[in-house]
Amino acid sequence: MSTLKALLFDVDGTLADTERDGHRVAFNRAFAEAGLDWEWSEELYGKLLAVTGGKERIRYYLDSFNTGFAPPAELDSFIAGLHQAKTRHYVEMLSSGAIPLRPGVKRLISEAREAGMRLAVATTTTPENVSALLENAMAPDAMDWFEVIAAGDVVPAKKPAPDIYTYAMQRMRLGPKECIAFEDSHNGIRASLDAGLKTIIAVNGYTRDDDFSDAEIVLDHWGEPEYPFSVLSGDAGGASYLDLALVKRLHGG
Ligand code: XBP
Ligand code: MG
């Protein structure tokens, strides 16, 4: 009898490839709207992703890539205002259906749900972004599929700190051995491993070269029966897409 009771999902890069054509574009639209000549290129954004959290990322950009900008006296509220505008633009993009789920995401989550697995989200992103993605790309009632949506500023420290995963498990009254995490980035797996969680990785364009030591498996995506995944490291036991049986085998509980 498997001890696996819950699947904990990262959002950005895991459920959907949201960063390059989603968040990055939304940031740039907010900067333009504010009359700022800041333009985050795909290359620069890849560097800025070292810092999780949009507000924290803007501050990192000013501290490390735009030191010539004369910050206003109330820098925190200035950044908060930019980030609120960015979130508005991002939610508009999601509402227009601009960002689809990654391969296998709806299939695996539906299978897990039908099998009675408990589901949660553990993400650094803003809560509104989660509901907009799930309701527009997964199903109108998809928010109800997840017992806990642990997102954004609900914890003091964002990934790579383990806080968001620990918070989700505490809310579910589960221990790490009863759960498994799904991530896409080095910051993400540092958070999940430090929370004691076995972790399944699906890389994306920004994270392909990240360090995923100690992941149970590293895939290019979760796959579909007619669209097999590639195993970048680990053992899929001959499977060609990620299903609940493979998740349970990787969990090993
Ligand atoms: C990814 C992040 C987020 C997004 C931007 O979160 O680090 O900050 O890049 O979203 P995860 P916000 O991979 O944990 O889902 O601007 O709302 O932070
Ligand atoms: Mg992620």
Side-chain angles (χ1 to χ4, degrees):
M1 171 72 175
S2 170
T3 59
L4 182 63
K5 294 190 174 62
L7 309 186
L8 310 184
F9 298 97
D10 165 56
V11 174
D12 293 300
T14 297
L15 297 187
D17 206 349
T18 58
E19 294 291 0
R20 189 191 65 192
D21 300 330
H23 288 295
R24 181 184 67 89
V25 173
F27 277 112
N28 286 333
R29 287 179 182 168
F31 300 152
E33 190 175 78
L36 298 166
D37 64 352
W38 308 350
E39 173 75 23
W40 287 0
S41 65
E42 291 180 25
E43 183 189 2
L44 173 58
Y45 195 68
K47 295 173 183 161
L48 294 172
L49 280 172
V51 172
T52 64
K55 295 187 291 294
E56 297 80 354
R57 192 166 300 141
I58 294 171
R59 184 179 292 275
Y60 174 53
Y61 164 70
L62 293 176
D63 291 345
S64 302
F65 296 89
N66 188 356
T67 51
F69 178 70
E74 294 301 315
L75 183 56
D76 283 350
S77 55
F78 172 71
I79 289 174
L82 282 177
H83 190 252
Q84 282 159 14
K86 173 265 174 182
T87 300
R88 171 169 42 83
H89 285 290
Y90 182 67
V91 168
E92 279 171 13
M93 294 171 78
L94 292 174
S95 303
S96 70
I99 311 275
L101 295 177
R102 295 193 69 187
V105 168
K106 187 163 185 178
R107 173 186 52 73
L108 175 60
I109 289 175
S110 300
E111 179 191 5
R113 193 169 163 243
E114 284 152 24
M117 277 286 153
R118 298 166 64 183
L119 308 176
V121 159
T123 177
T124 306
T125 198
T126 301
E128 299 100 288
N129 297 344
V130 181
S131 49
L133 177 71
L134 294 180
E135 290 164 0
N136 289 284
M138 193 170 288
D141 67 336
M143 283 288 281
D144 299 337
W145 302 2
F146 299 85
E147 191 172 325
V148 171
I149 303 277
D153 297 331
V154 74
V155 289
K158 292 186 167 121
K159 299 174 186 175
D163 300 39
I164 199 72
Y165 279 108
T166 304
Y167 171 85
M169 289 188 282
Q170 281 170 348
R171 290 273 307 278
M172 300 173 89
R173 300 193 192 297
L174 290 173
K177 296 205 180 321
E178 299 168 287
C179 307
I180 193 166
F182 298 77
E183 271 287 351
D184 74 297
S185 68
H186 181 61
N187 278 330
I189 194 171
R190 283 170 58 198
S192 56
L193 291 177
D194 284 357
L197 290 159
K198 291 189 174 181
T199 304
I200 293 171
I201 291 290
V203 300
N204 56 63
Y206 277 126
T207 67
R208 180 170 293 276
D209 298 325
D210 279 13
D211 174 9
F212 294 117
S213 312
D214 301 326
E216 295 310 307
I217 197 166
V218 181
L219 306 168
D220 59 346
H221 53 76
W222 294 0
E224 296 288 8
E226 70 285 354
Y227 181 48
F229 57 34
S230 295
V231 178
L232 308 180
S233 77
D235 176 9
S240 61
Y241 58 91
L242 188 66
D243 62 3
L244 187 57
L246 178 53
V247 171
K248 286 181 173 176
R249 194 169 73 74
L250 291 165
H251 176 262

